[in-house]
Amino acid sequence: METDADEVLKELYNIMTKISENKKNSDNAENAALFRKILELPRSQSADSRSKRLASQFVGRLFKDFPEDQPAAFEAIVDLVEDDDLNVRKQAISDLPKLCKDVPVYVAKVTDLLVQMLQSDDPQEQPLVNNALSQTLTGHPAEALTGLFNQLTHEEASDLTRERALRFLTTKLAHLALTPPQEELLARLLIDELLYDVSEDEFTTAVNLLAGLGCMRGAAGRQRLVDAVCQQADLAAPFDPASPADVARLSECARMAAKHMGRNVSAKALLVYYLDRVVPSIDLVDDSASGPGLADSPRLGLLRRLAELSSAAGSSFAVTDKQLSALLDRLLDRLPLPPTPPPTPMATSSNDNEEAETDKVPEEGEIAPAVGEPELNFSQIECLLFAFHRLAKTNPDFLTACPDRLADFAKRIGYLSQANQVYLRSLRSAVRAPPRADDAVPTPAAAVEAAAPSTQPDASDDAEKAEKAEEPEAAEPPIADPARLREVALATAENIALLARDLSRSPPSYRAELAVSCLSWRQLAASGADRLGKQRGEVSDDEEEDRGGARRRFAGDQRSSDRRARDRFGGGGGGMRSRRGGGGGGWRSNRW
């Protein structure tokens, strides 16, 4: 006995048979009415899953033949896509690309609908939705991209929808051959529509998508990309060092801009913003939320971005004295003066005519005994020293124009060189030594202590132990492999040595060349043997010496500068961990 559902199913077959016969006889007068009947039957109470799936197939097959009924047919498919029955939804999803196969005007609407369905977590629906989107994007790329971005930029689009849509686009574009006009359309949609309202992850994905387009290759294309990134940084707004969101946004924009800069591609506007607004207030950036590890802390992240941006400044960049002064001030804040030697005590004789002990006076060129142990943050010093060396090169008279400033700088840079040499020797010894399970990585504090020994008399072992017990324990290195951590520290110290040697000359020189790819954190991000194989180029008249190097004299004493040896450094891995370490920042809610 036939049920009502069977009657509906039978009627659908009869209607389709009648339409086919009318087409053969060129009698299409009643076909429009029959097509509308197909649209109505799935909405009847008697229609079951079989009838709805069959109606969806017929609508997809006949859609192009009835232009006047296409809006109603599209709405009928939408109803089936939202049906409670999974099998009905799967059939409707599969039939959606058929609607726009021969009717491109519906590609944007179909794509918009499919993008909304990406938020479905049903494992049976997801592959069908992705396959349907692939068909529309392959058949009509321009219209499909327009529909996809209509949903991406819709104010009510969920974060999950945006995330999955961008993931689909990233995956699909790798296998899709776009024409130059289609690439230009995608670039315009990404720059003009999406980048104005993105989260941190979406921003990174969008920039990577842009970088992969053919129209973004070459100097002009990459400059356009960098300019788009700079616009996202909101350079018209003041810099608020107390805002984690502002710090994170600015740091990420600078990171992405630096990633695509080159010889003829620079982020001049962003560099000027850094020098005018970020550098003067960099020490106000809160690092308290930094986590463990070699990930940039908020402050270190900004300093690293400054170094990367300055690498592409070029000779045409006109750095001002005010900008260099602010940069030099931040550098000098991290470069202590040489420790003050204690006064030489008068020699006295006892009744036994025995000569009393006297403190030894440091010989010329040696580091004087320290009163306290200054702290050196080598990671931040590397960034500031690199940026100052690159930018002061365009204004070489900046230091020499003020004798007092030059003298103070010479003392500080000379003391840094000596402490850094001690640190380098300990690092190289550690690198050459056979690895052991309890290996410890030499620290900058130990180098400073070695370079500036205590002036107090030797204490007993018990006193030394008591003093060490009062000091806070050093944090565990964030990298499990001690050898890798030593490479990180070694790269930082070698970069500082190269730059400090150039600036220690009289007058300071800017001839040394250190590629941005040789900066410690850039080498840490590199993979394979190339991470340790980058070469540093240098223009120098000095003699060549063994890699171990010699103890440096105070920068103020330049009488033997022509005889000073030059160390040639090879590669090195990664950047040295700052004392606070960690990552930081945040985004304004979850969007910029």
Side-chain angles (χ1 to χ4, degrees):
M1 181 176 178
E2 292 186 350
T3 62
D4 292 340
D6 294 332
E7 290 291 338
V8 173
L9 188 63
K10 184 177 180 180
E11 185 174 0
L12 282 171
Y13 277 116
N14 291 335
I15 291 174
M16 192 62 191
T17 301
K18 184 64 174 175
I19 290 177
S20 299
E21 291 177 354
N22 289 338
K23 283 185 176 181
K24 292 180 180 180
N25 299 327
S26 300
D27 183 11
N28 297 323
E30 62 175 334
N31 279 358
L34 293 173
F35 182 68
R36 286 190 288 270
K37 185 67 173 178
I38 293 176
L39 302 180
E40 295 171 0
L41 284 175
R43 298 189 177 101
S44 66
Q45 294 182 353
S46 302
D48 62 359
S49 175
R50 298 174 301 165
S51 302
K52 293 178 180 179
R53 284 183 285 145
L54 184 61
S56 176
Q57 296 179 43
F58 289 165
V59 170
R61 188 184 305 175
L62 300 173
F63 186 81
K64 65 179 183 296
D65 298 328
F66 303 97
E68 295 181 357
D69 295 308
Q70 286 173 356
F74 182 76
E75 292 299 325
I77 288 289
V78 172
D79 291 341
L80 296 177
V81 167
E82 298 173 348
D83 196 87
D84 294 333
D85 190 293
L86 174 60
N87 292 324
V88 174
R89 295 199 303 271
K90 289 168 59 179
Q91 183 62 57
I93 293 171
S94 300
D95 292 326
L96 274 172
K98 299 176 183 177
L99 303 185
C100 51
K101 182 178 181 180
D102 298 310
V103 189
V105 69
Y106 276 89
V107 173
K109 291 184 177 181
V110 169
T111 305
D112 189 299
L113 179 60
L114 289 170
V115 170
Q116 295 180 54
M117 298 183 67
L118 285 174
Q119 59 187 320
S120 171
D121 292 324
D122 192 301
Q124 298 186 53
E125 285 186 12
Q126 283 185 351
L128 292 175
V129 173
N130 280 278
N131 184 58
L133 270 173
S134 297
Q135 292 183 47
T136 57
L137 189 59
T138 303
H140 304 278
E143 295 84 354
L145 288 172
T146 302
L148 190 147
F149 277 88
N150 284 342
Q151 185 56 223
L152 276 176
T153 57
H154 195 280
E155 59 182 7
E156 296 183 1
S158 68
D159 294 330
L160 181 60
T161 299
R162 293 167 62 98
E163 175 189 348
R164 291 182 176 177
L166 283 174
R167 186 189 308 161
F168 165 81
L169 191 58
T170 302
T171 304
K172 186 61 182 175
L173 285 180
H175 308 284
L176 185 65
L178 296 177
T179 64
Q182 292 167 351
E183 286 189 339
E184 183 61 34
L185 171 64
L186 179 55
R188 182 182 60 79
L189 291 171
L190 286 167
I191 295 174
D192 298 341
E193 298 187 17
L194 184 64
L195 283 181
Y196 281 108
D197 183 27
V198 289
S199 67
E200 176 185 8
D201 292 337
E202 291 171 351
F203 174 71
T204 303
T205 302
V207 174
N208 289 336
L209 280 173
L210 280 169
L213 297 178
C215 61
M216 289 295 172
R217 296 170 187 167
R222 285 193 296 152
Q223 186 63 62
R224 180 184 175 190
L225 174 59
V226 170
D227 291 342
V229 172
C230 292
Q231 289 179 1
Q232 178 63 29
D234 194 12
L235 302 182
F239 174 64
D240 182 8
S243 171
D246 282 5
V247 171
R249 187 190 73 252
L250 189 61
S251 183
E252 180 64 13
C253 288
R255 185 184 72 85
M256 296 304 295
K259 182 179 178 181
H260 301 286
M261 292 190 311
R263 183 180 299 274
N264 298 316
V265 180
S266 65
K268 179 180 178 180
L270 192 54
L271 176 58
V272 170
Y273 186 91
Y274 258 75
L275 294 173
D276 290 343
R277 303 191 183 186
V278 178
V279 170
S281 57
I282 189 69
D283 290 330
L284 300 179
V285 175
D286 183 17
D287 267 1
S288 60
S290 302
L294 273 173
D296 293 358
S297 68
R299 188 180 303 159
L300 180 59
L302 289 173
L303 290 174
R304 286 178 170 176
R305 304 295 86 79
L306 170 65
E308 292 170 345
L309 291 173
S310 65
S311 67
S315 58
S316 61
F317 182 78
V319 63
T320 64
D321 287 351
K322 181 179 179 181
Q323 292 170 339
L324 277 179
S325 295
L327 182 58
L328 180 62
D329 289 343
R330 301 294 81 75
L331 176 60
L332 296 183
D333 289 342
R334 290 155 177 82
L335 299 182
L337 284 168
T340 304
T344 305
M346 299 295 295
T348 59
S349 299
S350 64
N351 294 333
D352 298 330
N353 295 326
E354 293 181 356
E355 190 176 80
E357 294 185 12
T358 59
D359 291 338
K360 180 182 178 181
V361 179
E363 298 179 0
E364 180 184 1
E366 292 184 351
I367 298 181
V371 179
E373 296 175 6
E375 183 175 309
L376 292 174
N377 190 323
F378 281 17
S379 292
Q380 295 187 15
I381 290 173
E382 179 192 14
C383 304
L384 288 166
L385 203 60
F386 180 86
F388 181 79
H389 186 274
R390 278 299 180 96
L391 296 175
K393 187 176 184 178
T394 65
N395 189 358
D397 297 330
F398 170 74
L399 283 174
T400 56
C402 179
D404 292 340
R405 178 169 57 197
L406 177 60
D408 180 68
F409 178 78
K411 292 178 181 179
R412 295 175 187 267
I413 201 71
Y415 181 69
L416 170 68
S417 296
Q418 294 184 33
N420 191 57
Q421 279 299 314
V422 176
Y423 189 38
L424 268 174
R425 283 198 294 271
S426 63
L427 284 171
R428 287 168 177 158
S429 298
V431 169
R432 288 193 294 265
R436 297 181 304 177
D438 58 345
D439 271 352
V441 180
T443 62
V448 175
E449 184 178 0
S454 172
T455 61
Q456 299 299 326
D458 291 341
S460 64
D461 293 341
D462 292 339
E464 290 181 358
K465 293 178 181 178
E467 182 179 355
K468 291 180 179 179
E470 295 177 359
E471 298 178 354
E473 295 184 0
E476 290 293 328
I479 296 181
D481 184 5
R484 181 72 181 278
L485 185 59
R486 284 193 293 267
E487 293 170 1
V488 170
L490 183 60
T492 303
E494 287 179 342
N495 288 339
I496 291 175
L498 177 64
L499 298 172
R501 181 169 60 251
D502 215 27
L503 293 172
S504 297
R505 304 181 190 278
S506 180
S509 171
Y510 306 98
R511 293 183 294 173
E513 293 293 339
L514 179 64
V516 66
S517 59
C518 293
L519 292 172
S520 59
W521 62 94
R522 284 292 189 94
Q523 295 189 47
L524 180 64
S527 60
D530 289 341
R531 179 171 57 82
L532 299 178
K534 300 186 186 304
Q535 297 296 322
R536 293 169 172 80
E538 179 184 5
V539 180
S540 174
D541 298 325
D542 295 338
E543 298 176 357
E544 206 167 2
E545 186 181 86
D546 179 73
R547 184 181 175 88
R551 178 181 293 272
R552 278 163 171 66
R553 299 179 181 275
F554 281 117
D557 181 11
Q558 298 291 341
R559 288 175 296 177
S560 60
S561 62
D562 293 337
R563 299 189 304 271
R564 292 173 63 187
R566 176 181 63 183
D567 296 331
R568 286 195 178 275
F569 302 115
M576 189 179 118
R577 179 171 64 92
S578 70
R579 297 184 181 272
R580 289 177 178 170
W587 311 94
R588 294 192 181 97
S589 64
N590 74 339
R591 299 280 177 85
W592 273 347

